[in-house]
Amino acid sequence: MIKKYALIFLVFDFQMAWTQNSVNSKIDSLKSLLAKTTIDTTKVNLNNSLSINYTAINTSEGIKYGETALKLAKKIKFRKGIASAYKVIADNQWANSDFENAKQNLEQALNFSQNQLQKADILISYGLVYTSLDQYTVALEYYFKALEIYEELKFEKGAIGAFSNIGNLYYYLKNYDKSIDYINKALVYNLKSGNTMETIRNYGNLGNAYT
């Protein structure tokens, strides 16, 4: 039993270390690109990318980069960039448990969204907020709306995330059969694409649902 738990913690520690190293490397690359570009729309996109990468490690920095992107996007009237900036600010606020401000910024993001894919990504963020507020049935509505769009667009990466989130919510709702069904749908895609970390997460969630 001790060896079993030791292995679980080792896998978890490895995953966390790998994720943080990967994020730090991505942030360094984005900062390097930002320092070189002179194109305003590219600056907006890079600041938004920096913001979302900071979500897991430093929400204050994430919000700062999102606000920089928002200010510039408004100045140049770049509506897609404005929507993305509101979303990444909201994602950092969600990560910081500032749920009310996150909802307000997601509403703005939806108002400025320019295409169905961008709308679906915002709906996923809404789902995360309502999941954190323990409003699981509301969160499910947002996830299913997003999933419908992802499937219409044949956007597998988005569908995988929606499947996983839906499966986890059904677990919280103690509907274990549906939880297993949706997590397995995510697992099939992750195995096919070779996404090791998400595959590990899916197996862990399946283990919870089966027990």
Side-chain angles (χ1 to χ4, degrees):
M1 183 65 72
I2 292 173
K3 289 182 178 178
K4 177 182 177 183
Y5 284 114
L7 178 58
I8 291 171
F9 285 123
L10 281 170
V11 170
F12 179 77
D13 288 344
F14 168 76
Q15 183 177 347
M16 291 299 292
W18 182 88
T19 301
Q20 185 156 346
N21 287 338
S22 176
V23 169
N24 286 333
S25 177
K26 184 65 179 291
I27 285 171
D28 288 342
S29 296
L30 290 169
K31 285 182 177 179
S32 177
L33 291 170
L34 183 59
K36 295 174 184 175
T37 189
T38 58
I39 302 170
D40 283 342
T41 53
T42 303
K43 288 179 182 178
V44 171
N45 291 334
L46 288 170
N47 274 289
N48 280 330
S49 293
L50 280 162
S51 176
I52 201 62
N53 275 277
Y54 268 115
T55 302
I57 60 173
N58 189 331
T59 56
S60 295
E61 284 295 293
I63 290 170
K64 184 184 79 173
Y65 279 102
E67 289 176 342
T68 298
L70 180 60
K71 182 177 179 180
L72 179 56
K74 285 182 173 180
K75 180 181 177 181
I76 63 175
K77 297 179 172 56
F78 179 28
R79 290 182 63 87
K80 184 178 179 181
I82 292 171
S84 294
Y86 275 122
K87 179 188 177 298
V88 297
I89 291 169
D91 288 338
N92 278 279
Q93 289 168 331
W94 162 75
N96 204 33
S97 300
D98 184 4
F99 303 129
E100 291 307 312
N101 281 320
K103 284 193 289 184
Q104 290 175 21
N105 280 309
L106 288 172
E107 184 178 355
Q108 292 279 21
L110 269 183
N111 290 337
F112 282 96
S113 62
Q114 296 296 289
N115 56 56
Q116 286 294 91
L117 181 56
Q118 191 172 45
K119 179 181 178 180
D121 289 343
I122 295 164
L123 292 172
I124 289 290
S125 292
Y126 261 119
L128 292 172
V129 170
Y130 281 103
T131 297
S132 296
L133 290 169
D134 296 335
Q135 297 182 34
Y136 301 141
T137 54
V138 178
L140 271 176
E141 292 176 10
Y142 282 106
Y143 288 147
F144 274 118
K145 287 177 183 177
L147 177 60
E148 183 179 359
I149 295 171
Y150 289 139
E151 290 185 322
E152 286 177 358
L153 298 175
K154 301 187 185 327
F155 185 59
E156 285 191 3
K157 183 178 179 182
I160 292 168
F163 284 139
S164 293
N165 290 338
I166 291 168
N168 292 337
L169 277 185
Y170 276 126
Y171 173 78
Y172 298 146
L173 292 167
K174 298 184 179 180
N175 190 331
Y176 302 120
D177 288 340
K178 283 191 175 181
S179 176
I180 290 165
D181 182 38
Y182 279 95
I183 295 170
N184 270 320
K185 288 178 180 180
L187 179 61
V188 168
Y189 282 110
N190 282 320
L191 286 170
K192 183 173 72 174
S193 64
N195 191 331
T196 304
M197 290 301 140
E198 287 302 316
T199 298
I200 291 171
R201 187 174 287 112
N202 289 154
Y203 278 126
N205 290 335
L206 280 174
N208 289 334
Y210 275 112
T211 55

